[in-house]
Amino acid sequence: MYVTALKRAAKESVSGLPRAFWWLWTSTLVNRLGAFVATYTALYLTLERGYSASYAGLVAALHGLGGVVSSLGAGVMADRLGRRPTLLIAQTSTAASVALLGFMEHPVAIAAVAGLVGMTSNASRPAVQAMMADIVRPEDRVRAFSLNYWAINLGFAISSAGAGLVAEYSYLAGFLGEAALTLVCAVVVFVKLPESRPEHITTAGKAEPGTSLGSVLRDGRYMGVVGLSFLLALIFMQSSVALPVAMGMDGWSPSDYGFVIALNGVLIVALQIPVTRLIEHRDPQRLLVVSALLAGYGFGLTAFAGSLGFYALTVVVWTLAEIVNSPTQMGLVVRLSPVHGRGRYQGVHTLSWSAAALIAPLLAGYVIDHFGAAWLWASCAVIGTVAALGYWLLMRGLPDGPGATGERGASAVTAAPAPAGPAPTDSAPPTDSAPAPAGPAPTDSAPPTDSAPAPAGPAPTDSAPPTDSAPATALVPAAALVPAGEPVSAEHSGGAGGGAGATHPTTGTGKDKGTGTGTGGVTAAAVGEAGA
């Protein structure tokens, strides 16, 4: 009975997602299976090359700086060139730079190429996250981001063990192996993934305005999310920055730290999918507040750790925070991002983690050296509390209820009623934001449209691709699409909301019940992604 329930839960967790998502998921898993550089660069520099720990720290900082530089540029590329070209450029460049790093011997050359690796490897993140938001329905996005995060950690757990064995044989083999697997990712993208960037919508003869990088930076609510993401990233970075140092100062061995930190990967692989099933339709405000508190106080408890078991307990606490926060945060990012600015918004969000990767080692080292590790852990608790308060304040103004559902950039359009036509059937797939045209009822096989209404005419066939940018023709009010006597659901009131789940459940049926959300502090009638 338990096995049957487990199989059913697993099937429900992975069902309903488009094929393109699974190819993107496969690309992510393959990429993380080759994560050699991020894991063993410090050991390579100190043990193999004989450089000092200070030099290894400098190289790590330059790697993080490269990520900071590329985050914004890659986001702009994803919007201008497209998701697919950006991924291909980033992954082929990463493969070349990682292979080159393995052959570098001069310290200046190693530092320079390490910065290049950081730049190229981070350039793919905004495009991956934007593509995922493009191809996955809003109500499935939290689940999709969770599955992708699970693949990242599964690949990293396997690569950490395998890379250790490779390093004993040859560090160069590790660099070349990562380069080869990154090229495999590029091949998967080239062969299996179509371009997903939405075309600009024309409504009433006017093209939807584009999103500039300046407009992202002027988006106060969104930049608040980026700032809170930076605070949480500072906390989570301490797992690889301050925790091993503090455990070493307390007399614990590297193998003890390895045992404790391994719990993080094991718990994520074991719990990410079932926990996501529990949280994907719950109030994202509460989830983000709770996850911030768990992260802050999970690391804060480390100040009281006196045994290996207590260290393990702290890891369990902040790992639960990580499991809850990651997909919920990404859902909020999508929710606040306009459709045609997803790349830029994702790039700015990725910047928060890149900046934390640069600052966290310097900050942790300074605090431990001048005040002691206990002050660092107390600071984590304070930062977590500030982040929790920030999420609570930030999300108070987000609209809720049927009239506030939708996604930024996918505006509901009102127009005069169209000529009478057959009523749509219950089986018609929901559209994201635009009302359906007059004409014959759509069939079960009609693919959902992302944001723009289709022209009036015959029902689409199986072979008709989804339309993203068709100009509006005869439109009917959204409420007119609902049969008399039925309540207006999320899909009839501006489209299903962003992937963070419903702030307050709206009326719906089946698995879509409670998946509509408001976006960006503005109503769906007026107008909603960016990433780690």
Side-chain angles (χ1 to χ4, degrees):
M1 183 68 180
Y2 175 77
V3 175
T4 303
L6 190 62
K7 289 181 178 179
R8 183 172 64 251
K11 182 178 180 180
E12 292 174 356
S13 297
V14 301
S15 63
L17 295 171
R19 178 172 298 185
F21 165 79
W22 290 112
W23 284 115
L24 191 60
W25 183 91
T26 301
S27 174
T28 298
L29 178 62
V30 172
N31 181 270
R32 298 309 297 173
L33 285 172
F36 180 86
V37 172
T39 309
Y40 285 94
T41 297
L43 291 176
Y44 167 71
L45 293 175
T46 54
L47 298 182
E48 180 76 2
R49 294 294 185 181
Y51 293 114
S52 66
S54 298
Y55 175 76
L58 173 63
V59 171
L62 289 174
H63 185 278
L65 180 62
V68 171
V69 171
S70 68
S71 297
L72 300 179
V76 174
M77 286 176 60
D79 283 339
R80 288 188 176 180
L81 298 181
R83 298 15 170 165
R84 188 168 176 263
T86 302
L87 280 174
L88 289 171
I89 293 171
Q91 290 174 344
T92 53
S93 300
T94 300
S97 58
V98 167
L100 182 63
L101 181 60
F103 292 99
M104 293 297 99
E105 297 184 1
H106 194 278
V108 174
I110 291 175
V113 176
L116 180 62
V117 171
M119 185 182 300
T120 56
S121 61
N122 277 277
S124 63
R125 293 183 180 181
V128 168
Q129 291 153 359
M131 179 175 279
M132 198 169 298
D134 295 338
I135 62 181
V136 176
R137 296 181 303 175
E139 62 267 27
D140 291 330
R141 284 180 185 150
V142 168
R143 184 159 54 100
F145 282 122
S146 177
L147 287 168
N148 190 66
Y149 192 66
W150 183 79
I152 290 173
N153 284 275
L154 176 62
F156 185 78
I158 296 173
S159 70
S160 296
L165 298 176
V166 173
E168 291 184 3
Y169 169 73
S170 168
Y171 280 95
L172 178 59
F175 286 108
L176 296 179
E178 176 168 348
L181 287 174
T182 306
L183 280 179
V184 171
C185 295
V187 171
V188 170
V189 170
F190 180 76
V191 174
K192 294 295 185 180
L193 287 176
E195 177 56 56
S196 66
R197 181 184 59 174
E199 297 295 335
H200 284 278
I201 304 167
T202 57
T203 304
K206 296 182 179 179
E208 180 181 313
T211 302
S212 67
L213 191 57
S215 65
V216 180
L217 300 177
R218 291 190 296 270
D219 188 336
R221 186 188 297 274
Y222 183 77
M223 292 308 296
V225 171
V226 173
L228 295 174
S229 175
F230 171 75
L231 292 180
L232 286 182
L234 284 178
I235 297 175
F236 284 123
M237 288 290 176
Q238 303 310 319
S239 63
S240 59
V241 173
L243 184 58
V245 174
M247 290 185 68
M249 293 170 61
D250 288 342
W252 299 101
S253 68
S255 61
D256 293 328
Y257 167 74
F259 166 75
V260 168
I261 201 63
L263 283 175
N264 174 252
V266 170
L267 288 173
I268 290 176
V269 171
L271 299 179
Q272 185 71 66
I273 293 177
V275 169
T276 300
R277 283 176 52 79
L278 295 176
I279 68 173
E280 64 176 325
H281 299 314
R282 298 185 184 274
D283 183 356
Q285 182 190 45
R286 294 181 181 179
L287 294 175
L288 291 170
V289 168
V290 170
S291 65
L293 292 173
L294 285 175
Y297 287 93
F299 278 95
L301 285 173
T302 311
F304 304 99
S307 66
L308 205 60
F310 201 100
Y311 276 112
L313 175 63
T314 65
V315 172
V316 170
V317 174
W318 57 256
T319 297
L320 290 175
E322 188 178 356
I323 289 172
V324 173
N325 180 269
S326 179
T328 310
Q329 171 85 3
M330 288 309 305
L332 178 62
V333 167
V334 174
R335 183 178 173 184
L336 296 177
S337 306
V339 171
H340 298 289
R342 282 175 178 160
R344 289 172 173 84
Y345 272 72
Q346 288 286 4
V348 173
H349 182 260
T350 301
L351 179 64
S352 65
W353 280 84
S354 299
L358 177 63
I359 295 173
L362 305 176
L363 183 64
Y366 180 84
V367 173
I368 291 176
D369 287 342
H370 290 80
F371 304 101
W375 279 95
L376 178 66
W377 305 129
S379 299
C380 288
V382 172
I383 293 173
T385 303
V386 171
L389 179 61
Y391 279 122
W392 180 73
L393 292 173
L394 184 77
M395 300 186 69
R396 282 194 310 166
L398 286 179
D400 51 67
T405 58
E407 182 175 327
R408 289 183 63 182
S411 310
V413 181
T414 57
T425 63
D426 288 339
S427 60
T431 59
D432 224 16
S433 61
T443 64
D444 287 341
S445 60
T449 59
D450 198 25
S451 59
T461 63
D462 283 344
S463 60
T467 59
D468 278 340
S469 59
T473 54
L475 303 177
V476 296
L481 302 179
V482 185
E486 291 188 16
V488 178
S489 67
E491 60 246 38
H492 294 299
S493 61
T503 303
H504 295 285
T506 57
T507 304
T509 58
K511 70 176 182 178
D512 292 325
K513 183 178 177 72
T515 59
T517 59
T519 61
V522 282
T523 64
V527 292
E529 171 185 10

